[in-house]
Amino acid sequence: MEEQVENAISIASDVTSDQNIKAQAFEFLHRLPSDPQGWEICLSLFVREPKASEITRHTSLEVINNAIQRGVLQSPSLIALRDNLMAYVAGSKADSTNIQNKLAQAFMYLFVFSYSVEWPSFFHDLLRTSDHPGLSQEESSLRIRFYLQVLKQIHDEIADTFVLRTPEETKRGNELKDLVRERDMKTITHTWQSILTQWRGRDHKVIDQCLDVIQRWVSWADISLVVTDTLRNLLLDLINPSLSLSQTIEAAKMRESAIVCLTEILKKKMEPSAKLELIKYLRIQEAVSQLVRSPGLSELRATSNYDTDLAEHVARLANNVVSDIIKAMDYIPGGSFADLEAIDQLKSFLPFVLRFFSDDYDEICSTVIPCLTDLLNLTRRVAKISDDRFSVESSAMLPPILDAIVGKMKYDETSSWGNEDAQTDEAEFQELRKRLHVLQRAVHSADERLVMDKISNIVLTTFDSLQSQNDDVDWRTLDLALYEMYSFGELGLKNGGLYNKNKPASPAAELLVGMMSRLLESDVTSSMHPAVCLQYMEICVRYYQFFEANAQYISGALEDFVRLVHYEHVKVRARSWYLFMRFVKHLRHYIGDIAEIAISTLSDLLPIRAEIPDGSSEDGDFSSEENQQPVSTKFDSQLYLYEAIGCICSARTVPAESQVLHITTVIDPLFSDLEIHLELAKAGEERAVLQIHHLIMALGTLARGFSDWTPAKTSSTSPPPTREVSEGFVPTSEAILVALEALNSSPQIREATRFAFSRLVGVLGSRILPQLPRWIDGLLSQTSNKDEMVLFMRLLDQVVYGFKLEIYDVLNTLLTPFLQRVFSGMADPACGTDDEIQLAEFKREFLSFLLIILNNGLEAVLVSEANQSAFGGVISTIEQLAKDTSDLPTAKLAFTVLIRMGETWGGPDVHRLKETPQPTLAGFDRFMIERFSPICWALPTQPAFDPSDAQCKQALSEAATLQKMIYWKTGEEYLKWLRDNELRGMGMDATAIETHLNKLPNSPTTEFQAYFQRLVQESKRRA
């Protein structure tokens, strides 16, 4: 049998084995742990001499471990296995690491399943294997390390909190931990101290492994057994073995292990006051102080040999200690601190925290951010309560903390902004800046004046230096000042704006106004560093209210912007185009008549050159121009320039005739380019089509810059454009339509045209209405997908709403062709999930379009002579949508449309006056009774309808409301119809009919909705 098992292992591990035979071998080995004799065979293979192959011995131990874990071995078998493995350990020489680990796992499972009864002397027996006097140092070391490896695996199996366990495993682990504490914990902890004492200086691997076991077990061991004078002194000695630079690698490794061990000891959960005593007892402050002064963290700090690993370990230790101190300092119900001694401890550790916080390596800095966050949260609470004993101390702590935060926000001397190779470092630094800014806000919450004075001092001092040193100020210093100035907006603008009644709205706003004045007088952009230039523009845009109150600075800022939009660095140029647009959009009515100068200055940036992406870049396609700017990004940024020009040219100080002239100046080159490329695009040239797409987008963006007025939107702050301006854009609309009519089979052209249409509405106003049929013909072509149709219907909704007084005639002409396209789109079958989602959205948008018509007094267009032929299709479509259980939100909306139709054409309510129906549309009363009412029952009778579903309940509520509306408009006629025809035809008995006819007229709407839901649920249950 042994030979058979050995052969199976050999076949399974041989990559050249036949796959069928290998599968049989795996199956045999998989069944082996369940075989009552399997573990004995594998034990024999493992311990035999001469030794079997490594893979055979490893697999044999794996089978044994599985057999123990599955509970195959009963008490006698466990004892036999124990004796054999103990004999092997006592007499074995060195095994490989893999075998040692697997054997330790076997002992761990023996512990789990036999410690409580069969093997209570587990730890004593295992430890005795290393006590034989005849063992060499190497043999003794191997057995001690094996003992420690077993302890490590025991912890991982029963106590590691990161391991997910079943309730049974958790219960078993807790019981074993209790037994270990009761029987052997004192002995085990004593062995650790003995091992550390005996093996220090003899075998650093033993020391490392022992410290690893201690830092694991301490979480569930009695702290008084673990932390003794002996252990403390040993740890402190290991932490600070030497202050010389010639420290061995082994000593450095043991030192780091000791630091980690101390850190884990301090993580043990205990009362805050006890934790403070533990920190004091372990002399952590002394240890950290010695480590900070060690050569690796002091003399080598500014060199390439700086011990960053050690720094991170010590920083983590300091972070945990300070967090524990802060927890101990939390308030007790009486409103005072739990322990004044904690304040002194905190003061002693704060310099170490700030030292690591200010470290050049961001990973080390980030390590202590959590404890600083805790400290600042504490000081914020103290500031609110005004605790005299700590308020003085916290006020002394905040300035150095703020200094460290601000200092860390500055680019270090090795950073190079904007280089492609440094993009990752730049992103990480910006992420760190965000975290630092959160800390700065926390300082502000504790002491607002301190932060205000600090930032204003940094900013003003930097500007003073810039003026006095003839522009010879490091860009990093300027960037920090501008970054802090930009962030200062959270203080200066928090009251809703920079000014209140032409005066600064707050002390912070007053400081910010002063900083803005100094900024604009100091010629910051003369440094021409890209980071500084970007920060300058961002500040000008954010604090545009300053320019509204100080118009004398606008011209200088505009000159800076015009220069920076030509900046050679692609990142600055692309961002500057957007910021320039934002700046002039805010200040369009303050900038004066500079339109002609702006057009002339920016003319070299306006020509559009479409480039076909070649797909050669993994991160995006790049233009052929300088700095390798992505093609799509460049054109998107270029559109901001067109919007900016539109804003400038439409300033209220520019006469209308001049605005028209400026329009012509900008759009004529675009028209010429459009005409040149149109024939090429008709011939199918891809670049020509893309060029026309870009030109149409530019024309639409220029229109948006001229006017962001929205028809019928009362909240719009911009007035409608003048008649001259509107007429000036009519040729633009016509040119776009010509391109659309020629190229409407192109999705790109339809996309650009839809974009332009939505923007031209704001400048053309009602002048766009006569062209509306052409827009619809072009945008809803035979190749348009449902997404396109949905987007255009939304635009059409805005047009109908905005021009409801003027659109009737146009809508009356185009409605039937438009509806035919809609019905055709709905008839297209959906292929796949994406198509189903598009179709559902398309149906809901169609219903929303009908509601727009009905809600804006245009209902007559639906039943006009021109559109009567399509009205039946509208009703039929709504009926189908209202009965569709696969799309309940659409069904609910369909009922809403039917209710609105009834309210619109059903006439006045007659149910209370007992009068005959008086519909405003002849015959609509009978139409509602005979067509609308059955729909209320058609939906819930569908097989797939689930009345307990939330969406189904919403649809039922709308169906109930529709019945109420029909009753209000038709009164007794509807009740008679229900009694004599509809309800009886559905098979309802007389009692149910009378109940329904009583509830419908007499119950409030909400009660009737609830009744109708119960009725449907009961009928479904009976069915």
Side-chain angles (χ1 to χ4, degrees):
M1 188 64 174
E2 286 185 22
E3 184 178 355
Q4 187 179 0
V5 172
E6 192 168 10
N7 287 336
I9 295 172
S10 177
I11 292 170
S13 61
D14 188 352
V15 294
T16 64
S17 298
D18 180 85
Q19 292 301 315
N20 293 328
I21 298 177
K22 181 180 285 191
Q24 295 175 21
F26 276 121
E27 179 63 24
F28 172 78
L29 294 173
H30 180 71
R31 293 195 307 267
L32 195 57
S34 302
D35 188 329
Q37 306 302 318
W39 70 272
E40 294 182 89
I41 298 168
C42 290
L43 177 62
S44 178
L45 279 174
F46 175 71
V47 300
R48 82 177 185 191
E49 291 290 344
K51 291 181 178 180
S53 65
E54 181 88 358
I55 186 64
T56 299
R57 302 183 74 224
H58 189 277
T59 305
S60 297
L61 282 174
E62 182 67 28
V63 172
I64 293 171
N65 292 344
N66 285 338
I68 303 173
Q69 192 176 17
R70 293 181 183 183
V72 175
L73 277 70
Q74 300 304 313
S75 182
S77 299
L78 287 172
I79 294 172
L81 177 61
R82 174 197 70 186
D83 293 342
N84 278 277
L85 290 182
M86 283 296 294
Y88 174 81
V89 171
S92 68
K93 302 297 182 182
D95 279 318
S96 68
T97 302
N98 287 335
I99 296 297
Q100 287 282 337
N101 290 338
K102 188 58 68 174
L103 182 59
Q105 188 181 48
F107 274 89
M108 178 270 292
Y109 283 127
L110 281 172
F111 164 82
V112 170
F113 288 94
S114 65
Y115 177 69
S116 58
V117 178
E118 292 86 356
W119 200 0
S121 59
F122 175 88
F123 296 104
H124 297 275
D125 295 345
L126 191 61
L127 189 59
R128 276 204 308 270
T129 61
S130 62
D131 289 343
H132 293 300
L135 293 176
S136 66
Q137 178 174 321
E138 181 181 0
E139 290 172 334
S140 181
S141 171
L142 286 172
R143 294 187 184 185
I144 286 292
R145 288 167 57 193
F146 179 74
Y147 166 74
L148 294 171
Q149 178 67 16
V150 173
L151 292 185
K152 174 181 176 295
Q153 293 209 23
I154 287 174
H155 166 82
D156 293 346
E157 176 67 18
I158 69 173
D160 191 341
T161 56
F162 292 102
V163 176
L164 294 177
R165 298 180 178 86
T166 64
E168 293 77 12
E169 290 172 338
T170 301
K171 179 182 178 182
R172 183 180 65 197
N174 290 335
E175 291 173 350
L176 287 169
K177 285 189 288 184
D178 289 340
L179 278 175
V180 172
R181 293 187 190 103
E182 179 184 341
R183 295 174 177 175
D184 294 304
M185 187 62 78
K186 185 174 182 179
T187 301
I188 293 170
T189 55
H190 178 72
T191 63
W192 296 339
Q193 299 177 33
S194 299
I195 291 170
L196 291 174
T197 303
Q198 295 173 14
W199 288 94
R200 184 185 174 193
R202 296 172 61 193
D203 192 331
H204 72 91
K205 292 181 180 179
V206 173
I207 301 298
D208 286 340
Q209 202 164 345
C210 186
L211 292 174
D212 182 55
V213 170
I214 293 172
Q215 59 100 358
R216 291 171 187 270
W217 278 58
V218 71
S219 63
W220 56 283
D222 185 340
I223 192 67
S224 63
L225 297 176
V226 178
V227 180
T228 63
D229 291 350
T230 303
L231 179 65
R232 178 196 61 189
N233 295 335
L234 283 169
L235 289 174
L236 293 177
D237 287 346
L238 290 172
I239 283 174
N240 192 33
S242 172
L243 290 178
S244 67
L245 292 172
S246 58
Q247 192 178 118
T248 65
I249 296 176
E250 290 79 9
K253 183 171 178 57
M254 286 191 294
R255 179 183 58 193
E256 291 184 9
S257 297
I259 295 170
V260 172
C261 186
L262 267 182
T263 303
E264 293 301 318
I265 290 173
L266 290 168
K267 282 184 179 180
K268 185 172 178 63
K269 294 180 180 179
M270 58 181 68
E271 290 296 321
S273 57
K275 183 62 71 69
L276 290 178
E277 288 299 322
L278 180 63
I279 293 170
K280 183 178 179 181
Y281 174 77
L282 290 173
R283 295 169 20 203
I284 303 297
Q285 194 274 342
E286 175 187 335
V288 173
S289 177
Q290 291 176 346
L291 287 166
V292 169
R293 295 198 311 271
S294 66
L297 299 188
S298 57
E299 298 174 31
L300 302 178
R301 182 176 179 182
T303 70
S304 59
N305 294 321
Y306 179 45
D307 196 340
T308 54
D309 290 337
L310 176 61
E312 195 164 349
H313 285 305
V314 180
R316 188 171 292 108
L317 175 61
N319 176 77
N320 292 351
V321 170
V322 171
S323 292
D324 285 333
I325 294 172
I326 292 169
K327 289 175 184 176
M329 293 174 64
D330 217 344
Y331 291 102
I332 59 176
S336 61
F337 282 109
D339 195 333
L340 286 176
E341 184 180 351
I343 299 177
D344 294 331
Q345 289 194 3
L346 178 61
K347 289 167 58 179
S348 68
F349 276 97
L350 184 59
F352 304 138
V353 171
L354 294 181
R355 177 258 179 263
F356 291 114
F357 180 75
S358 59
D359 199 282
D360 290 340
Y361 288 86
D362 294 343
E363 296 84 356
I364 299 170
C365 167
S366 298
T367 303
V368 296
I369 287 180
C371 74
L372 274 179
T373 303
D374 293 340
L375 175 57
L376 293 173
N377 288 336
L378 176 65
T379 57
R380 185 174 67 246
R381 296 198 303 272
V382 170
K384 292 179 180 178
I385 298 177
S386 300
D387 188 287
D388 294 337
R389 289 177 297 176
F390 186 61
S391 58
V392 174
E393 302 292 348
S394 65
S395 62
M397 293 179 187
L398 289 177
I401 293 175
L402 181 59
D403 289 343
I405 293 171
V406 173
K408 192 61 186 174
M409 284 181 173
K410 185 178 179 180
Y411 281 97
D412 61 45
E413 298 299 324
T414 62
S415 57
S416 54
W417 190 94
N419 292 345
E420 185 175 349
D421 295 339
Q423 287 182 0
T424 301
D425 292 341
E426 171 69 15
E428 290 175 352
F429 176 70
Q430 292 303 329
E431 186 61 31
L432 177 63
R433 256 190 177 178
K434 292 178 183 177
R435 298 180 67 188
L436 296 172
H437 184 63
V438 172
L439 292 178
Q440 184 170 291
R441 286 208 306 264
V443 177
H444 166 258
S445 298
D447 191 339
E448 181 175 345
R449 191 73 234 181
L450 173 67
V451 176
M452 290 168 52
D453 291 343
K454 177 68 176 180
I455 294 178
S456 62
N457 181 61
I458 290 172
V459 172
L460 297 178
T461 301
T462 302
F463 293 160
D464 287 341
S465 299
L466 184 64
Q467 290 180 321
S468 62
Q469 297 178 23
N470 297 321
D471 304 335
D472 189 20
V473 176
D474 187 77
W475 70 268
R476 299 169 183 83
T477 303
L478 282 172
D479 172 80
L480 175 63
L482 295 179
Y483 174 81
E484 289 286 16
M485 187 174 171
Y486 182 87
S487 302
F488 199 80
E490 294 181 1
L491 306 180
L493 302 177
K494 68 178 181 180
N495 293 325
L498 198 56
Y499 291 93
N500 182 18
K501 297 181 180 179
N502 298 323
K503 293 183 178 180
S506 65
E510 186 174 2
L511 283 174
L512 186 53
V513 169
M515 287 188 277
M516 282 297 296
S517 298
R518 294 292 298 278
L519 169 68
L520 295 164
E521 292 166 0
S522 63
D523 194 23
V524 166
T525 58
S526 61
S527 76
M528 289 306 287
H529 189 277
V532 174
C533 294
L534 275 178
Q535 289 279 20
Y536 170 77
M537 290 185 288
E538 297 279 3
I539 288 171
C540 288
V541 172
R542 184 171 199 183
Y543 305 132
Y544 70 91
Q545 294 173 340
F546 170 83
F547 293 96
E548 293 176 342
N550 300 273
Q552 68 272 20
Y553 292 107
I554 293 178
S555 59
L558 276 174
E559 290 177 7
D560 292 333
F561 270 93
V562 169
R563 184 173 75 256
L564 293 174
V565 296
H566 290 87
Y567 200 92
E568 61 182 11
H569 195 287
V570 65
K571 186 175 180 180
V572 176
R573 180 187 290 194
R575 182 66 178 168
S576 70
W577 293 354
Y578 167 73
L579 294 173
F580 177 58
M581 180 275 295
R582 290 282 309 280
F583 186 71
V584 299
K585 192 168 188 175
H586 284 310
L587 302 173
R588 67 198 304 169
H589 301 308
Y590 299 86
I591 55 181
D593 189 6
I594 63 164
E596 187 173 350
I597 299 174
I599 294 172
S600 174
T601 306
L602 301 176
S603 60
D604 60 316
L605 302 176
L606 296 180
I608 295 172
R609 290 186 292 274
E611 295 185 36
I612 301 296
D614 59 13
S616 60
S617 170
E618 294 181 2
D619 299 321
D621 303 298
F622 293 87
S623 70
S624 58
E625 296 188 0
E626 68 278 7
N627 294 314
Q628 291 293 294
Q629 183 176 7
V631 172
S632 59
T633 302
K634 179 188 175 185
F635 172 67
D636 291 342
S637 299
Q638 198 173 18
L639 290 178
Y640 294 127
L641 291 179
Y642 278 94
E643 187 170 354
I645 288 178
C647 292
I648 294 171
C649 295
S650 62
R652 65 178 59 159
T653 55
V654 180
E657 57 274 13
S658 297
Q659 292 186 25
V660 174
L661 179 61
H662 298 324
I663 293 171
T664 305
T665 302
V666 177
I667 65 176
D668 277 354
L670 300 178
F671 286 171
S672 300
D673 203 3
L674 192 66
E675 184 178 2
I676 291 171
H677 287 87
L678 187 56
E679 292 302 320
L680 295 173
K682 287 180 183 179
E685 185 179 315
E686 187 179 359
R687 185 192 169 281
V689 173
L690 186 60
Q691 181 74 9
I692 291 178
H693 166 275
H694 287 6
L695 293 170
I696 293 173
M697 294 279 285
L699 290 168
T701 305
L702 179 68
R704 178 170 61 184
F706 258 88
S707 175
D708 54 8
W709 171 74
T710 302
K713 188 174 182 180
T714 56
S715 61
S716 177
T717 56
S718 300
T722 62
R723 178 181 58 82
E724 293 86 353
V725 170
S726 293
E727 291 177 351
F729 273 98
V730 169
T732 300
S733 178
E734 183 63 32
I736 294 173
L737 281 171
V738 169
L740 174 64
E741 289 165 345
L743 303 169
N744 71 343
S745 61
S746 168
Q748 282 182 305
I749 300 302
R750 294 198 302 270
E751 175 203 12
T753 305
R754 192 167 54 248
F755 172 90
F757 174 79
S758 65
R759 278 113 183 118
L760 284 168
V761 169
V763 290
L764 291 177
S766 60
R767 289 174 177 80
I768 203 170
L769 298 181
Q771 298 175 333
L772 200 54
R774 296 172 64 191
W775 287 101
I776 292 177
D777 285 339
L779 290 172
L780 299 184
S781 72
Q782 296 300 320
T783 57
S784 297
N785 60 37
K786 293 181 179 64
D787 273 349
E788 290 183 74
M789 298 177 75
V790 165
L791 291 172
F792 183 73
M793 276 198 284
R794 289 174 184 165
L795 291 177
L796 198 56
D797 289 348
Q798 297 175 15
V799 173
V800 171
Y801 176 74
F803 301 106
K804 51 192 170 188
L805 300 179
E806 301 101 330
I807 200 173
Y808 180 87
D809 290 337
V810 176
L811 190 61
N812 191 45
T813 301
L814 61 85
L815 185 61
T816 294
F818 172 73
L819 291 175
Q820 289 172 348
R821 304 230 179 151
V822 171
F823 297 152
S824 175
M826 287 189 188
D828 291 339
C831 301
T833 304
D834 290 344
D835 278 358
E836 290 175 357
I837 294 173
Q838 289 181 6
L839 180 59
E841 190 174 7
F842 180 58
K843 292 174 180 177
R844 287 193 289 272
E845 195 56 45
F846 163 69
L847 295 172
S848 298
F849 174 70
L850 295 178
L851 284 176
I852 289 288
I853 291 176
L854 293 169
N855 291 333
N856 286 281
L858 295 168
E859 64 276 2
V861 76
L862 292 171
V863 293
S864 68
E865 183 177 352
N867 298 307
Q868 279 184 355
S869 60
F871 185 68
V874 171
I875 297 298
S876 298
T877 301
I878 297 173
E879 288 177 337
Q880 292 300 318
L881 297 179
K883 294 185 289 187
D884 187 1
T885 56
S886 66
D887 187 2
L888 289 167
T890 301
K892 176 178 177 291
L893 187 58
F895 277 110
T896 303
V897 174
L898 293 175
I899 293 168
R900 188 70 188 103
M901 283 183 170
E903 293 170 345
T904 302
W905 289 313
D909 294 348
V910 299
H911 63 292
R912 292 180 180 172
L913 302 176
K914 308 296 183 181
E915 296 179 354
T916 58
Q918 304 168 31
T920 57
L921 182 64
F924 197 73
D925 53 335
R926 296 302 303 176
F927 189 83
M928 289 191 296
I929 291 174
E930 297 175 7
R931 292 288 296 272
F932 288 6
S933 182
I935 302 174
C936 301
W937 304 94
L939 175 66
T941 55
Q942 299 291 322
F945 188 83
D946 179 7
S948 63
D949 179 77
Q951 290 186 334
C952 290
K953 288 182 178 180
Q954 292 178 352
L956 283 178
S957 295
E958 291 298 297
T961 305
L962 178 58
Q963 293 177 66
K964 292 287 289 186
M965 185 276 300
I966 297 173
Y967 170 70
W968 291 334
K969 302 300 180 183
T970 61
E972 290 297 326
E973 287 191 15
Y974 183 39
L975 298 180
K976 185 175 185 302
W977 167 268
L978 289 173
R979 178 182 291 108
D980 298 341
N981 297 279
E982 193 166 331
L983 299 183
R984 195 175 304 280
M986 291 169 52
M988 291 179 66
D989 59 39
T991 303
I993 291 174
E994 290 306 318
T995 301
H996 189 79
L997 295 179
N998 180 58
K999 292 285 186 180
L1000 178 58
N1002 297 319
S1003 300
T1005 301
T1006 54
E1007 289 185 13
F1008 184 71
Q1009 290 173 341
Y1011 153 76
F1012 190 60
Q1013 291 176 9
R1014 292 194 303 272
L1015 176 65
V1016 171
Q1017 288 174 345
E1018 291 171 2
S1019 64
K1020 282 284 186 179
R1021 281 197 297 268
R1022 288 195 298 270

